[in-house]
Structures are given as C-alpha cells and as structure tokens.
Amino acid sequence: MNGGRAEDASERKAVIQTTHTHRGFTAPSVFPQNPNNEEFASTYFDQRVCVPEDDSKKCFSFRKLWAFTGPGFLMSIAYLDPGNIESDLQSGAKAGFKLLWVLLGATIIGLLLQRLAARLGVVTGMHLAEVCHRQYRTVPRIILWLMVELAIIGSDMQEVIGCAIAFNLLSSGRIPLWGGVLITIIDTFVFLFLDKYGLRKLEAFFGLLISIMAITFGYEYVTVRPDQGELLKGMFVPYCEDCGSTQLVQAVGIVGAVIMPHNIYLHSALVKSREVDRSNKKEVKEANKYFFIESTVALFISFLINVFVVAVFAEAFYKSTNMEVYNVCNQTGSPHSHLFPQNNETLEVDIYKGGVVLGCFFGPAALYIWAIGILAAGQSSTMTGTYSGQFVMEGFLNLRWSRFARVLLTRSIAIIPTLLVAIFQDVHRLTGMNDFLNVLQSMQLPFALIPILTFTSLPSLMSDFANGRVFKVGGGLVILVVCAINMYFVVNYVSSLHSVGLYVLAAFFSITYLTFVGYLVCEEKNQLDKKLQNNSEYIKECKKNTAVDGSIEVFLPHSYCDFLCFASKNSAIRIKNTLIIPEGNYFCYCGSK
C-alpha cells in the first residue's frame, strides 16, 4: 500500500517537473500522448523516421530535408492517377496548349491545400479524420465519412480501369479487359505488404514508380517535340482563344481531376511518420517548413509529368480528325484502326485510344512505353488510395481493420461495377466511366476543403500556426468556386442524358448537397463555441482546487480533457491520464483517480 503511494508521489513529481519543463510554449497539443511524450502510433506507423539534430545556425539543411522527404511524394501520386492522365490527354487533344494555365493554377491551389493538411498533422498530432471525429456530432460525422469513402472508391475505380487498359495494351489484346481487372486484385495485395520491409523502403518504391512515369511520359514528350513557345504561352497566359463549351467543360474537368478530397486526409496522416517533438515550437516550425519544401518539389515533378502528357497530345493531335488518324493507323498496319470512324469529326481520345494513336504515329515503342506509364500510375495510386481509406476509417469511426480487410472492402466495391462493364461492354464504355468518376470526385471536394480550412484557422487548435486572413479569405473563395464548378458539372452531365426523371433527381440531390455543405460551414463553429465555453468552466475549477504540495488539481471527464487546452492560450500537454497546463503550475486528472 505504502509502496503504491510512493509510486503515486514519484509520478506526481515527474508530472510537475514536466510542467516546468514546457513552461512558455504556446503551441497546443491535444493528441493523447504516452509517458515518453510520443503520440500513439497509427496502423501504418509502427516505426518513425528520426530527424537528425543540427546544432548549427543554418536556416536550411539537406540532411533534414532528406529525413522529411517521403510523405509529399506519396501524396503527389494522386496528381498522377489514370484519371488525371486521361484529363491531360483530352485537354491537349481538344484545346491544345490553351488550358495549361488551368493545370498550373489547379496544382498551385492543390499545393496550398496540402500545406494546410500537413500543418494540421504536425501541429496537433492528429490527422484530419481524427479531428473530424472529435468535432462533429455522430450523424454528420457518419455522412462526412460516407462522402469521403465514396471519393476513395471512385478514385479506386479509375485506377482499376487504368491498370486493366495497360495490361491489355502491353499484351497486344491477349489479356482481355476483364482479365486485367482481375489481375489488379492480386497485384494490389502483393504490393501492399511492401511496408513490412520498412517505411523508407516503401517510400523509395513509390519514388521508383514516379520515376517510371517521368521517364515514360518524358520519352513521349521528347519523341513528339512540342512547340516550346506555344507551351510557355499556354502555361502563363490565362486566356483561351476561340474556346467554346467543350474547352470550358475540359477546364472544369482539370480542376476536378487534380484536387482530390481523400488526398487531403491522406497527407495530414502521412506527416505523422516523422519524429517531431510537438512540445518544441522550433521543431514544429521546422517540420512545417521542410514538409512544405518537400511537397513543393513533389508537386512540381507531378506537374511536369502532367505537362508532358498535355503537350504530347496538343502538338500531335490537336484539331486532328478521325479520318486522318484512321489513314495513318491503316498505313502502319495497326490492328486498332477500326477504333476511329471514317469521318471528319474531331478526334476524341482516352487513355486506351491515346496509346493506340501514339503507336500509329510514332511506332510500337511509343505505345508500349505509354502503357508502362499508365500501369505505374494505376498501381501507385491504388496503394495510396488504400492508405487513405485506412486512415479515414480509423479516424472517423475509431475502427481498426487489417490491411487485408480494408483492401478487400474497397477493392471489391470498386471492382464489381468495373468488371461488369469490362465483361458486357466495350473499352469505350469502360473509359467513359472516367467522365462520371471525375464528376464524383469534384462533388466530394467540399467535404475535405471545409474541415481543413476551418480547423487550421482556429487559434485555439493551431495556436501561432493558425491561418491568417489571406488564407481564410482565399480558402473561402476556393470553396465557393468548387461548389459553383460542381453545380455546373452536374447540370452539364445530366443535360446530356436527356431524361426528365434524372433532372428531378439531380435537382433533389443538388439541394441536399448544398444544404449539407452549408451545415458543415455553420454548425462547425457553433459546436466549437460550445466546447470552448464548457472548457472555460473546467479551467476555473482547476484553479479552485489546491493540492497539499501547492500545485492545483481537479478531476475531469475524459471528453473535457481532450479539448481543455482550447480554452487556454497556453500549451496543454497530455501525458497518460493527466493534462498539464504550464502557466500557473496546475494540472488536471482525467476521469477518476
């Protein structure tokens, strides 16, 4: 008994000592921590990458940058999935170089959003789905989770389609599309166990896939030799001469394909794989800096790869007709010439026809190299999509599944409709699904943008790292633009179906969609205000209870301990079941003693 009291006393002294150690730090820490002041590991973070200490006063260190390199490149793969590649080639074929500035702008906006995601993960120690779990009520939280899962499944379907087409092209049609769909089931499970060999090796493998895409699509770029003057003009002059509704729809499609909602949830979780002492403001600031540099480099590389694809099809096939392509393919003896009608209508391409026309105009090597690039894009995006699903499920539902179970669920839902289309329809129907899936991806964007902008704008959560006025206003404008784009997408897509029933159904879903988006904007702030008010009362209770040794203590429910630091401008460090508030030398026990 006495021994137990002695242990309690020694533990209390250690806690009080920790309080003095962290005095004066202003960045809050609300994620539960263990006695060593380390965050609880997530499913994929059994190991952490240590950041080398550098006592020099240099403002930049390549050694530290290398330690932080990894999460940004995994995140950038979502900018290179088959849906993006198809959007790129269609942009080049339909608008030439004229929409490159849209691609550049969408990538920059994506970078700023990824910056917010990384900062949330570094500063709070929680990824976006975990913060949503703590902030939202049960019903809106479940709806939000379903919307994000829908985006992940839609993205997974695009990746399955891309891989199936790549296998078909590489085998010269010997592997049917449905066979390629089935192969993606097996290879995904094989690749997902790569993280058994260590986090850095997994990141290196993703780097290899990005390198393959850069080499293959770069080869096509060098082979075609686009006009560099037109390329630079299209990239930096925000104007589209002689553009109509076709080019407008394509511009909207670029934005929807580049900025993906589940990628924001993914990036906020990946940054937790680095060893950062969040009780040290300097380390947090340094981590934010290096993660932003790494994300900038990664997205710059992904942007160049996207430019390669746009430029190839802009230079070689802009304003080309079906008859012109048919004649060339027929002369070269291509078995795919039947894909192009013998008329003078403008050529329409997808990732399948894209490989075919490259083979007709630039030789079989161009076709096979294109297929390898598509395969690398599909495989890498599939794996990152699975990681996104794991983090989202864990965060929103506090539910931990094995990798196998998680992949089985997502891949089964994605493969069933894709497999049915591949068996009973042709490749045109299969690739045509990408248009619908791009609409779906764009529709889910507000369900990532609103939470990330709101949470990173809260000084009570982010302290000195909260968004400034520019980011708040800019982020709000981005959300408005995205919602407007979504409405345009829905109207344009449903109008093409020519069905009154679908018009009514689309109107109903549009109203429901906008109502829920409005709820997220308004209710989020109301809930936070209530939590802050309640926590302020418990802070006052802490000050009233004075222990024998002169410190101050009070017993609190666990839910209030999670948010207690919101009510104070000072740091609140949670260790085991004790919440430490440095200023004032007092601490609170969570639950019963």
Side-chain angles (χ1 to χ4, degrees), residues 48-280:
R48 305 237 176 190
V49 176
C50 294
V51 179
E53 295 184 4
D54 192 352
D55 296 330
S56 66
K57 296 182 179 180
K58 293 188 298 183
C59 61
F60 181 81
S61 168
F62 281 103
R63 290 180 64 230
K64 287 192 175 182
L65 179 61
W66 178 248
F68 283 105
T69 297
F73 281 90
L74 267 68
M75 167 273 296
S76 70
I77 285 173
Y79 291 73
L80 296 168
D81 69 349
N84 272 287
I85 301 301
E86 178 153 328
S87 176
D88 292 337
L89 65 89
Q90 289 178 348
S91 172
K94 293 179 180 180
F97 299 98
K98 299 174 185 177
L99 295 180
L100 277 175
W101 63 271
V102 178
L103 177 62
L104 176 62
T107 305
I108 292 174
I109 293 174
L111 173 62
L112 298 178
L113 293 173
Q114 301 301 159
R115 172 182 178 270
L116 297 183
R119 285 167 73 89
L120 180 72
V122 172
V123 175
T124 67
M126 294 183 287
H127 58 73
L128 183 55
E130 289 173 326
V131 178
C132 289
H133 179 271
R134 294 173 180 239
Q135 302 286 19
Y136 290 117
R137 295 174 181 176
T138 303
V139 173
R141 172 162 50 87
I142 296 300
I143 295 175
L144 194 58
W145 168 67
L146 290 174
M147 293 298 100
V148 179
E149 287 287 2
L150 197 61
I152 293 172
I153 292 169
S155 175
D156 203 39
M157 289 179 67
Q158 287 182 308
E159 286 134 21
V160 170
I161 292 169
C163 290
I165 288 174
F167 284 125
N168 182 269
L169 289 174
L170 286 171
S171 64
S172 299
R174 295 183 181 87
I175 298 178
L177 291 174
W178 60 266
V181 171
L182 293 177
I183 290 174
T184 62
I185 302 176
I186 302 171
D187 59 23
T188 299
F189 283 110
V190 172
F191 284 126
L192 276 173
F193 289 100
L194 282 173
D195 62 352
K196 294 281 187 182
Y197 297 97
L199 185 61
R200 294 299 269 177
K201 291 185 177 64
L202 178 68
E203 293 172 348
F205 178 73
F206 278 103
L208 174 63
L209 292 177
I210 294 175
S211 300
I212 291 174
M213 284 183 269
I215 293 171
T216 53
F217 297 134
Y219 170 84
E220 309 286 0
Y221 182 85
V222 172
T223 301
V224 174
R225 297 180 182 178
D227 186 323
Q228 302 302 306
E230 288 296 316
L231 186 149
L232 292 175
K233 178 183 176 182
M235 188 180 299
F236 296 108
V237 178
Y239 179 69
C240 189
E241 186 179 358
D242 299 327
C243 289
S245 59
T246 301
Q247 288 76 19
L248 178 60
V249 171
Q250 193 58 49
V252 172
I254 291 173
V255 177
V258 169
I259 307 173
M260 307 185 76
H262 63 277
N263 206 34
I264 296 174
Y265 287 87
L266 173 67
H267 198 199
S268 65
L270 292 174
V271 296
K272 293 168 59 179
S273 62
R274 267 48 184 180
E275 198 71 59
V276 178
D277 180 9
R278 290 184 298 104
S279 65
N280 187 322

Side-chain angles (χ1 to χ4, degrees), residues 26 39 124 163 193 235 255 276 346 392 409 412 436 471 536 550:
T26 59
E39 301 153 5
T124 67
C163 290
F193 289 100
M235 188 180 299
V255 177
V276 178
T346 303
V392 165
L409 172 67
S412 298
F436 170 76
F471 257 94
S536 298

Side-chain angles (χ1 to χ4, degrees), residues 374-418:
I374 295 296
L375 182 62
Q379 288 297 337
S380 56
S381 300
T382 295
M383 287 183 281
T384 55
T386 302
Y387 282 103
S388 300
Q390 186 78 36
F391 294 133
V392 165
M393 179 175 286
E394 288 180 359
F396 277 106
L397 306 182
N398 198 23
L399 180 65
R400 308 251 168 172
W401 279 19
S402 66
R403 296 178 185 83
F404 182 85
R406 173 67 216 186
V407 177
L408 188 62
L409 172 67
T410 307
R411 184 43 59 94
S412 298
I413 297 174
I415 275 185
I416 291 173
T418 309

